[in-house]
């Protein structure tokens, strides 16, 4: 499956599905992402976003990349080295094609990881 993941790394968007912390229903968002080994990194500009709150409450999530869906465990990135890696990967992927400077967002957003099973 590692080769499959590597082939999906170039996709513009991924789809994260969380379990609603209030309703218990599945919620899917479209989100920018970067892959490193078997970990998907994302940045939340709003640290209180519903998807972040949902992932904190129920870390069992799925990531859909292309036509493939992967089960995973979400976590807030709290180690400085991994946090820097997540930001570096996401900015390197999206800044070149984006019309505005993403450096403030890349510096202040909350780094979230999904470790794929």
């Amino acid at each position: 499956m590692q080769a499959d993941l590597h082939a999906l790394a170039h996709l513009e968007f991924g789809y994260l599905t969380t379990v609603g912390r209030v309703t218990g229903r599945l919620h899917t968002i479209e989100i920018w992402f970067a892959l490193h080994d078997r970990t998907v990194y994302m940045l939340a500009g709003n640290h209180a976003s519903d998807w972040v709150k949902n992932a904190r409450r129920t870390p069992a999530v799925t990531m859909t990349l292309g036509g493939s869906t992967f089960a995973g465990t979400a976590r807030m990135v709290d180690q400085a080295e991994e946090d820097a890696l997540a930001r570096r990967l996401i900015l390197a992927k999206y800044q070149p094609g984006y019309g505005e400077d993403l450096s403030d967002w890349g510096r202040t957003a909350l780094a979230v990881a999904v470790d794929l099973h």
Side-chain angles (χ1 to χ4, degrees):
M1 188 178 305
Q2 194 73 21
D4 296 340
L5 284 175
H6 182 72
L8 301 171
H10 74 283
L11 295 171
E12 186 173 4
F13 297 107
Y15 297 87
L16 172 69
T17 301
T18 60
V19 176
R21 66 196 178 286
V22 175
T23 65
R25 291 190 299 226
L26 297 179
H27 294 273
T28 301
I29 61 162
E30 181 178 77
I31 193 164
W32 284 355
F33 74 98
L35 278 168
H36 184 261
D37 296 329
R38 296 193 53 77
T39 302
V40 178
Y41 291 109
M42 299 160 287
L43 294 178
N46 180 348
H47 296 211
S49 294
D50 281 338
W51 71 269
V52 172
K53 291 178 183 177
N54 291 346
R56 284 184 194 269
R57 173 76 54 89
T58 306
V61 300
T62 61
M63 283 296 309
T64 301
L65 305 171
S68 300
T69 299
F70 305 90
T73 302
R75 59 185 170 81
M76 305 305 116
V77 177
D78 58 6
Q79 299 297 314
E81 187 175 314
E82 185 181 27
D83 184 78
L85 172 67
R87 293 170 194 285
R88 190 169 55 251
L89 290 171
I90 291 171
L91 288 176
K93 181 176 179 180
Y94 291 101
Q95 183 60 77
Y98 198 72
E100 298 175 30
D101 184 11
L102 295 174
S103 55
D104 282 345
W105 171 76
R107 194 171 35 259
T108 61
L110 175 67
V112 179
V114 173
D115 299 311
L116 301 178
H117 302 159

